Every structure is written in C-alpha cells, then in structure tokens.
C-alpha cells in the first residue's frame, strides 16, 4: 500500500525515494526478519545506501526486494553451474598444470639444497678470509717496525761509522773541494755523537769515538796550517787583497765554521791571526798611500791669507816661492773646486800616475780620494769578515789600525788648514760619503764619519772667525788706496761669500747663514770706513757704488739665487746711486736744483711764493747755453768713475731722467709767472733734451 506512492514519486517527479516508506515495507515483510536476527546497525546501513545508484534504480522500478534477491540468487547459481562446467572442461589442463607445479617444486627444493650448501661454504671462506686479514695486518705491522728499525739502524751506522776513504782524505788529502765535503761529513758525525745521549751509551761508540777524535784533531791541525798560510799570503807586496779574499778564502769558508764549532781555541788563534795580519797590511797600505798623496798636495791658504789682510803685510820672506795673495783667487773663490762634489763616486787617485804628470791638487781632492779608498776598503772588508767569520765585531778590531793612521794624518793637516772653502768642501764630501754608506747599508764607518764631521765644523768656525776678525780689525790706513774702483778686499769677500752660499744651497745650514750675515756687516762697516778716507763726498759715494755693484755681480754669477746678502747690497746700492745722481747734478745745475726744490711742485703756490721773471730768466738762459756741455761732462764723469759699464749706464740714465724732471718743473714754474711767456724763446724743448739723453744712452 505504501510502495505505490513511492514509485509514483520516483517516476513522476524524478525525485529521490521515500526512505520512511521503504522502512515500513521492510517491517511488514515477515519473511525478511526473524526473531533471532538483530536490527542493530540497520539505520547506519540504510544511511549508507541513500546515495547508492543501484538501490535507487531498484526502488524506482518498484521491484520487491524479496523478488529481486531471488533473482540475484538464481543468477549466481546459474553462474556457479557454468563455472563447474568450465572447470570440468579444463580438468586435464589443470592436472597437467598441477604436475608441472609439482615438478617445479622438486627442482626448487634441489636448488634450495645446493644454495644452502653454497651458503655454508661461503661462511667458511669468510672466516678463513678474516683469519688471513688478521695475519696480513700482523705481518704488515711487523714489516713496518722492521723497516723503521732498519732505517734508524742504517742511519745510526751511517752516522757513526768512519769510512776508510774519509780517513785517507782527512789525514793525507789536500785541502780542496773534496776535503771540504769530507770535513762537513766529519762535522756531522761529531755532532751526532755529542748530541744523542743514546749514542753515547752504545758499544759501537767505544770503538769509533777514538778514531773520530783523532780525525778531528788532524783536521783542525791541517786547517790551521792551511788558513794561516793563506793569511800570510795577504802580507806579500802588491797582493790584491780583495781578489784573494773572494776567490780563495771564501772558497774555504767552511774551515772557519768547522774550527768555530769543534775547536774554539784554535778558532780564536785563527781569528787573532787574521786581525793582526789585516790590521798591519791595511795600516801599511794607508800609510804608504797617504805619503804618496802628500807629495801631490798644493797649498791654498796660510794663516795670513785672510779677507782683511793687506797683500803686502806678509812680507818678502814669506812670499818667496808663493804666489801673491792678490792674484790667487782660489783662496776665496770656489771656481772649479766645486767639481770635486760631482766626482764623489770616482775611483781614488793613483798617486804615481798623478806624480808622473806633475799634477798638484788642493787638499779636498786628496781628502776625497783618501776617504773614498777608506770607505771602499771598509765596505769590502766588512762584507768579507761578516761572510767568512760570521762576525761584525771583527771588522772594528781590524780597522782600528788603518783608521788611526788616517786620523793622525787628517788631524795633522786640519791643525794647519786655513782654507775655509776647502774645509766646507770636505764637510760636504763627508756628507756624501755618509749617504753612500747608508745606501750600501754598511754601518761600520758611521762613528768614524761622524767624528770626522765633528772635527771639521769647529775648524771651519775657527778659520771663518779669523776672516771675520780680519775685517773687523783691519788697518784702514794700510788697506786704503786712492782709487774709487772696487777694492780687492771686496772681491775677496764677494767670492768667499758666494762660494760658501753656493755650498749651502742644498743643505740650508742656518748657522752658516748667520755667520755670513755677520761677515756682511763686517765688510759693509769696513767699506764705509775706507770710503771716508776720500776727501770728497762724491768720491766716497762712487767708491761704495763700485764695491756694492761688484759684490752683487759676483753673487749673481755664483748662482746663489738672491740670498739675504745680495738683497741687502741691492738696497744700499740703490740708495747710494740716488745720492750720486744728486751730487752729480748739483755740480752742473746747483742753482736750478735749489730753485726747483724751493718752489712747490703743484699750482697751489701763493703769490708770495711765486717766482719772478728776474729770478727765473738767468736759470733758463744758463741751462739753454750749456746743458749740452753739462750732459757731456756728466757722461764723461760716469764712464770714468764706474768699472761696470752696465751699472754706469743705469746711473747715467737715472741722472739724465732726474735732470729732465728738474727742468720740467722749471718750465712749469715759468708758465705760472705773469709775463713768463716772454721767456719761451729761451726755453729748451723737452724733445731736444730727450734727443741728447738718447744720444748719450746709445754711446755708453
């Protein structure tokens, strides 16, 4: 009753079936359930079937479940019957398959038996391999230990055994390259015996040690005789020491190392022998070289060769065989002596060659040569002793003698040296040599060069003060000459100052600059005193101008780049030229100059200050009548008064320019006078005066 509406709903509306109706049908069907069955879980199964499409189709077709179930069971039964028939048809094949499976099973059983046997055998082999591996590792360890023992034992035997060949070479062989190698081997054996405590306890050492000791003593004895013999070869005359050191002694350097390590007492004797040999040899060489240089020395200055000393004051006896001071510029002028600083790296002089050419040299040349020889010899000896003996201190023991020889000579020369320029050149030479040693990185002569430098400066100061005092304390009467041209003392001063200033350009020594300033003040004071010896002020001015101009010219020629002294003299020269110009013009046009100076230069003058025609007319006519002759006289005065033409030209131009200025002021004064136009006919035109000025400017 309830199923019909459900089917209608599914067919008419294509909607889902009513599950409540379906449950009611199940409840009405008594064959579906029984009293023994439980409906527990039915609701969950029904929920799971809600969305099952097959169930939905069955319910949609309105089929009873009972009927549907019977249909399904019939189908299954039919299928089962069909399957039985199929199995019956295939029974023979199944029997054959069964037999085949059984045969395979037998074969597999046999294979299993074989593989099991193999597995057992493999397990046995693995055990044997492990045993063999353990034996192999044990044998490898034993082999390694035996090799290590063999290595140590062979090294021990090699280090301690004394081959017969070694004995023959050490005892009977000559000292050569093979002997050096054998000596090194012997040294290693001695060190091995002394260094390893285990060796000392070995029985082998008791047999070998006496033999090794005898070889050591024999080697030390032979080395000592050989080295001493080579050292004595250095004493032979005309021996080239450096070649012998480099080509012979350094070749056998290991002999000294061997003695230092295995025979310290003998090494001390060898060291002392070398020091004694080289000390005497080098001292003798330097002594002979100094004696040869002394024959080449040319005396430059004596204690009387000073700036402010009069040339005749040295007397006739002292001037015999000596060039007069007045004609010896090298005393105060640097000249070509500066070239010695450019030849600082040149080889030392060879005395006998210079003597054969009858050449003479100022002492700074000999000084450079001696110091050059000293630093080169010291450099070579320092490097050799450091390489051969491995000691720097040995150098100072060797060179104590040579340096003493050089010091004695240098101190004797310096004590009687009055050549200030030469001393300054030696100071610069020492400075250059210090730089050379610094570049070589050889410090062995640092203290010596410092000592020489410290000796030169006080001597220079002493000689410089002698020159300074000679100017301060100069005898004016003996120095004065009735001549307005430059004084010889001025030339000495200028050359001396220019020389020292030139030598100080690259060094900038403030103390030297201060001393030169003191010297300038002294010469300026002396020139003023000499100028006052002239009766006329004009001559005094001319004398000062000539001397100042000479000083400036020499300073410029020296290339001192306008030092303080030059600047000062240019200022005083300018002021003295102005004084001379006024004095020269006053000689020719005193009335005109006095008139012009007494009148104001501008147009602000009052009537009382204005000049009258009576005052101006004589001046105008006088100038017109003799200005040409006056200019000619001034021209003559200038060219005869001044030694330097260029300076004279500048002075003449300044004089004529000042004259033109004074005359221009005169003409302006005339123009301001009432009725002054009447004097126009007597006034000289400016162009005429300029023509005269140009004429004399060209001819000067």
């Amino acid at each position: 009753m309830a199923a019909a509406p459900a089917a209608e709903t599914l067919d008419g509306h294509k909607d889902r079936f009513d599950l409540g109706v379906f449950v009611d049908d199940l409840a009405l069907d008594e064959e579906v359930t029984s009293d023994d069955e439980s409906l527990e879980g039915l609701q969950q199964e029904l929920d799971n079937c809600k969305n099952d499409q097959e169930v939905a189709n069955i319910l949609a077709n309105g089929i009873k479940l009972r009927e549907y179930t019977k249909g399904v069971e019939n189908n299954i039964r039919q299928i089962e019957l069909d399957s039985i028939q199929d199995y019956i048809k295939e029974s023979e094949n199944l029997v054959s398959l069964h037999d085949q499976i059984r045969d395979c099973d037998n074969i597999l059983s046999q294979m299993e038996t074989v593989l099991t046997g193999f597995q057992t055998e493999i397990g046995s082999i693995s055990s044997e391999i492990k045993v063999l591996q353990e034996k192999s590792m044990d044998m490898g360890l034993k082999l390694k230990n035996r090799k290590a023992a063999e290595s140590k034992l062979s090294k021990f035997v090699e280090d301690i055994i004394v081959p017969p060949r070694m004995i023959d070479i050490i005892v009977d062989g000559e000292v050569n390259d093979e002997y050096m190698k054998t000596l090194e081997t012997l040294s290693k054996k001695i060190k091995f015996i002394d260094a390893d405590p285990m060796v000392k306890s070995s029985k082998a050492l008791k047999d070998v040690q006496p033999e090794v000791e005898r070889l050591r003593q024999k080697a030390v004895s032979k080395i000592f005789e050989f080295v001493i013999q080579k050292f004595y070869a250095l004493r032979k005359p005309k021996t080239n020491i450096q070649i012998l050191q480099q080509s012979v002694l350094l070749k056998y350097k290991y002999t000294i190392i061997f003695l230092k390590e295995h025979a310290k007492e003998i090494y001390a004797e060898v060291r002392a022998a070398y020091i004694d040999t080289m000390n005497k040899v080098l001292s003798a060489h330097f002594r002979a070289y100094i004696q040869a240089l002394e024959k080449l020395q040319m005396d430059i200055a004596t204690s009387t060769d000073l700036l402010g000393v009069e040339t005749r004051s040295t007397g006739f006896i002292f001037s015999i065989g000596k060039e007069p001071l007045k004609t010896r510029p090298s005393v105060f002028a640097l000249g070509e002596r500066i070239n010695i600083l450019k030849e600082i790296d040149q080889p030392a002089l060879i005395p006998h060659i210079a003597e054969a050419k009858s050449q003479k040299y100022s002492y700074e040349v000999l000084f450079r040569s001696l110091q050059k020889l000293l630093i080169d010899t010291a450099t070579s000896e320092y490097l050799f002793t450091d390489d051969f003996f491995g000691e720097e201190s040995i150098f100072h023991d060797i060179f104590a003698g040579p340096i003493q020889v050089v010091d004695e000579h240098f101190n004797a020369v310096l004590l009687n040296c009055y050549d200030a320029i030469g001393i300054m050149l030696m100071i610069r030479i020492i400075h250059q040599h210090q730089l050379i040693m610094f570049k070589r990185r050889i410090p062995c002569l640092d203290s010596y060069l410092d000592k020489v430098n410290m000796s030169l400066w006080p001597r220079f100061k002493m000689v410089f003060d002698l020159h300074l005092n000679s100017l301060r304390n100069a005898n004016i009467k003996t120095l004065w000459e009735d001549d307005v041209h430059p004084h010889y003392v001025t030339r000495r001063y200028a050359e001396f100052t220019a020389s020292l200033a030139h030598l100080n350009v690259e060094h900038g020594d403030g103390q030297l600059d201060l001393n030169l300033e003191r010297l300038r003040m002294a010469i300026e004071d002396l020139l003023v005193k000499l100028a006052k010896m002239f009766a006329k002020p004009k001559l005094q001015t001319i004398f000062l101008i000539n001397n100042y101009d000479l000083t400036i010219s020499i300073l410029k020629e020296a290339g001192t780049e306008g030092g303080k002294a030059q600047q000062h003299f240019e200022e005083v020269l300018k002021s003295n030229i102005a004084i001379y110009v006024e004095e020269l013009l006053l000689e020719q046009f005193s009335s005109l100059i006095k008139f012009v100076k007494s009148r104001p230069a501008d147009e602000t003058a009052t009537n009382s200050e204005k000049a009258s025609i009576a005052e101006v007319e004589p001046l105008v006519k006088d100038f017109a009548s003799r200005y040409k002759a006056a200019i000619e006289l001034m021209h003559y005065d200038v060219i005869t008064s001044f030694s330097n033409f260029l300076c004279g030209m500048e002075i003449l131009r300044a004089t004529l320019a000042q004259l033109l200025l004074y005359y221009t002021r005169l003409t302006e004064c005339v123009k301001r006078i009432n009725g002054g136009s009447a004097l126009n006919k007597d006034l000289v035109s400016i162009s005429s005066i300029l023509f005269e000025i140009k004429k004399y400017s060209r001819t000067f």
Side-chain angles (χ1 to χ4, degrees):
M1 294 293 293
E8 184 180 353
T9 303
L10 290 169
D11 292 335
H13 300 283
K14 301 300 180 181
D15 199 358
R16 297 175 65 184
F17 65 91
D18 190 342
L19 186 60
V21 176
F22 176 68
V23 173
D24 292 338
D25 288 341
L26 288 176
L28 293 174
D29 194 351
E30 297 178 353
E31 295 180 0
V32 175
T33 63
S34 65
D35 297 335
D36 298 331
E37 294 177 342
S38 175
L39 295 177
E40 184 180 358
L42 177 61
Q43 184 64 40
Q44 184 178 357
E45 291 181 3
L46 291 174
D47 291 337
N48 293 334
C49 292
K50 281 182 180 181
N51 298 323
D52 188 278
Q53 188 65 35
E54 187 66 25
V55 174
N57 291 333
I58 292 171
L59 295 175
N61 292 329
I63 300 173
K64 296 267 184 168
L65 290 176
R66 188 66 174 175
E67 293 176 359
Y68 185 80
T69 303
K70 286 181 180 182
V72 172
E73 289 178 352
N74 291 331
N75 290 335
I76 293 172
R77 188 176 296 111
Q78 184 62 41
I79 290 170
E80 181 181 0
L81 292 174
D82 292 339
S83 297
I84 292 170
Q85 291 298 319
D86 290 337
Y87 276 106
I88 292 171
K89 290 179 182 180
E90 296 295 331
S91 58
E92 293 180 0
N93 292 333
L94 291 173
V95 171
S96 175
L97 178 62
H98 176 72
D99 293 338
Q100 290 177 2
I101 291 172
R102 186 177 56 201
D103 292 339
C104 287
D105 186 59
N106 292 333
I107 292 170
L108 290 174
S109 177
Q110 292 174 2
M111 290 180 67
E112 181 181 7
T113 303
V114 173
L115 291 175
T116 302
F118 284 164
Q119 183 178 8
T120 304
E121 291 179 2
I122 289 172
S124 176
I125 291 171
S126 176
S127 300
E128 292 177 0
I129 289 173
K130 288 182 180 180
V131 172
L132 290 174
Q133 186 178 8
E134 291 175 358
K135 290 181 179 180
S136 176
M137 291 177 63
D138 185 53
M139 291 175 65
L141 181 61
K142 290 179 180 179
L143 179 62
K144 182 178 179 182
N145 292 337
R146 287 178 182 179
K147 285 184 177 180
E150 181 184 2
S151 175
K152 291 184 178 181
L153 185 59
S154 62
K155 187 177 185 307
F156 173 79
V157 172
E158 182 182 352
D159 289 340
I160 201 170
I161 194 172
V162 180
R165 178 62 179 166
M166 175 186 288
I167 297 173
D168 293 340
I169 294 173
I170 295 295
V171 175
D172 301 323
E174 294 182 359
V175 179
N176 51 26
D177 292 341
E178 185 180 12
Y179 194 91
M180 292 297 102
K181 294 179 181 178
T182 307
L183 205 61
E184 289 183 27
T185 305
L186 178 61
S187 177
K188 291 178 182 178
K189 293 183 182 299
I190 296 173
K191 291 178 181 178
F192 176 72
I193 292 172
D194 293 338
D196 195 337
M198 294 181 63
V199 176
K200 293 181 180 180
S201 62
S202 66
K203 293 182 179 180
L205 179 61
K206 296 179 181 179
D207 297 333
V208 175
Q209 190 171 19
E211 188 65 30
V212 173
E213 179 60 22
R214 282 194 293 270
L215 286 178
R216 185 193 69 81
Q217 293 177 359
K218 183 62 179 178
V220 168
S221 175
K222 181 172 284 190
I223 290 172
F224 178 77
E225 293 177 1
F226 175 80
V227 173
I228 293 299
Q229 183 182 3
K230 296 300 180 184
F231 288 172
Y232 283 153
L234 296 171
R235 299 187 179 187
K236 293 180 180 179
K238 299 182 180 180
T239 299
N240 192 316
I241 296 174
Q242 293 182 8
I243 291 179
L244 185 60
Q245 288 174 335
Q246 298 297 323
S247 62
V248 178
L249 292 179
L250 281 181
K251 185 178 178 181
Y252 302 103
K253 179 175 68 173
Y254 189 76
T255 58
I256 300 301
I257 297 174
F258 185 86
L259 292 177
K260 187 186 293 187
E261 292 177 347
H262 306 297
K264 295 186 181 298
E265 294 180 358
I266 302 300
Y267 169 74
E269 293 182 21
V270 170
R271 183 180 184 277
Y274 181 79
I275 291 173
D276 181 65
T277 297
M278 291 306 297
N279 190 307
K280 290 179 179 178
V281 169
L282 293 178
S283 296
H285 282 186
F286 276 99
R287 191 174 289 108
Y289 188 73
I290 289 170
Q291 290 174 355
L293 288 181
E294 288 175 347
K295 297 178 182 179
L296 306 177
Q297 184 173 347
M298 175 177 62
D299 293 331
I300 297 295
T302 65
S303 59
T304 58
D305 295 336
L306 303 174
L307 292 175
V309 174
E310 201 272 327
T311 54
R312 294 164 292 185
S313 64
T314 55
F316 175 75
I317 296 176
F318 298 100
S319 62
I320 295 177
K322 180 179 176 181
E323 191 178 3
L325 180 62
K326 194 172 182 178
T327 59
R328 278 190 290 137
S330 60
V331 177
F332 307 106
L334 185 60
E336 295 183 356
R337 298 173 72 180
I338 187 65
N339 292 335
I340 193 63
L341 297 180
K342 301 175 184 178
E343 301 168 358
I344 203 73
D345 273 333
Q346 294 298 315
L349 288 174
I350 302 176
H352 68 272
I353 295 178
E355 189 175 1
K357 296 180 181 179
S358 300
Q359 293 177 331
K360 296 287 184 179
Y361 302 95
S362 54
Y363 184 71
E364 71 270 6
V365 177
L366 307 182
F367 176 81
R368 183 210 70 86
S369 185
L370 178 59
Q371 299 300 320
K372 172 66 173 174
L373 180 64
L374 181 64
I375 65 172
D376 287 348
T377 305
T379 299
S380 175
E381 189 63 27
Y382 177 83
L383 294 175
F384 171 76
T385 53
D386 184 44
D387 192 6
F388 190 67
F389 290 96
E391 297 182 34
E392 294 183 5
S393 59
I394 195 172
F395 169 84
H396 300 287
D397 296 331
I398 293 170
F399 258 73
I403 288 178
Q404 183 179 357
V405 171
V406 175
D407 272 346
E408 290 175 356
H409 161 75
F410 173 69
N411 292 332
V413 172
L414 192 62
L415 188 62
N416 297 305
C417 181
Y418 294 90
D419 181 11
I421 294 176
I423 296 173
M424 183 54 64
L425 283 171
M426 286 188 278
I427 291 173
R428 300 310 180 210
I429 289 170
I430 284 294
H431 177 71
Q432 293 295 325
H433 284 168
Q434 287 176 320
L435 293 179
I436 290 172
M437 295 299 282
F438 176 76
K439 291 177 182 178
R440 292 178 181 178
R441 297 183 179 180
I442 304 295
C444 58
L445 288 182
D446 287 355
S447 59
Y448 166 76
L449 294 174
D450 288 339
K451 181 180 68 174
V452 173
N453 191 49
M454 294 301 292
S455 299
L456 287 168
W457 275 108
R459 185 66 188 181
F460 172 80
K461 183 64 168 58
M462 189 273 288
V463 175
F464 188 91
D465 287 344
L466 289 177
H467 286 291
L468 180 62
N469 292 328
S470 71
L471 294 178
R472 290 175 174 175
N473 304 324
N475 190 329
I476 304 301
K477 293 182 179 179
T478 57
L479 286 178
W480 184 74
E481 296 177 350
D482 192 9
D483 186 359
V484 295
H485 290 87
H487 199 278
Y488 59 84
V489 172
T490 302
R491 179 174 291 277
R492 291 181 193 170
Y493 160 78
E495 291 174 346
F496 186 71
T497 299
S499 300
L500 294 180
H502 185 71
L503 291 175
N504 198 39
V505 169
E506 296 182 0
H507 300 273
D509 189 281
Q511 188 62 38
L512 182 58
D513 289 337
L514 182 60
N515 286 328
L516 290 176
E517 181 66 14
R518 294 165 58 204
L519 196 67
R520 179 197 62 75
M521 295 171 64
I523 188 65
E524 190 172 5
D525 184 60
L526 177 62
L527 289 176
V528 171
K529 291 178 181 179
L530 289 172
K532 290 181 179 179
M533 297 293 290
F534 292 95
K536 297 180 179 180
K538 178 185 172 183
L539 295 178
Q540 296 177 9
T541 306
I542 294 172
F543 175 78
L544 291 175
I545 290 174
N546 278 325
N547 283 276
Y548 294 154
D549 179 65
L550 175 66
T551 302
I552 294 170
S553 299
I554 293 175
L555 291 176
K556 286 182 177 180
E557 289 175 5
T560 55
E561 302 178 358
K564 292 181 179 180
Q566 180 180 328
Q567 294 175 5
H568 176 79
F569 282 116
E570 287 175 349
E571 292 175 1
V572 295
L573 174 64
K574 185 177 181 181
S575 62
N576 277 276
I577 287 176
I579 294 172
Y580 171 78
V581 167
E582 289 297 319
E583 291 175 346
L584 186 60
L585 290 174
L586 283 172
E587 287 182 352
Q588 302 297 330
F589 303 101
S590 59
S591 299
L592 185 151
I593 293 171
K594 290 178 181 178
F595 173 79
V596 169
K597 287 184 176 181
S598 65
R599 295 294 185 273
D602 51 19
E603 297 181 0
T604 59
T606 61
N607 292 330
S608 60
E609 292 176 339
K610 290 182 179 180
S612 62
I613 295 179
E615 290 178 304
V616 175
E617 185 177 6
L619 298 176
V620 172
K621 291 183 177 180
D622 178 69
F623 183 85
S625 64
R626 64 184 188 85
Y627 80 94
K628 292 183 179 180
I631 291 175
E632 184 176 359
L633 288 175
M634 289 189 294
H635 170 261
Y636 178 77
D637 192 294
V638 169
I639 63 174
T640 55
S641 298
F642 300 104
S643 305
N644 186 350
F645 283 177
L646 294 177
C647 179
M649 178 182 290
E650 293 298 324
I651 293 173
L652 180 62
R653 287 174 181 170
T655 303
L656 297 179
Q658 188 64 30
L659 173 63
L660 183 62
L661 179 61
Y662 283 144
Y663 187 72
T664 301
R665 290 177 61 184
L666 176 65
T667 57
E668 290 175 354
C669 185
V670 170
K671 291 177 182 179
R672 291 196 296 268
I673 299 175
N674 294 328
S677 58
L679 298 177
N680 288 343
K681 65 180 187 303
D682 296 320
L683 287 174
V684 180
S685 65
I686 299 299
S687 59
S688 298
I689 299 174
L690 288 174
F691 176 78
E692 292 298 321
I693 291 175
K694 291 179 180 179
K695 181 175 68 174
Y696 285 104
S697 296
R698 287 195 300 268
T699 59
F700 189 77

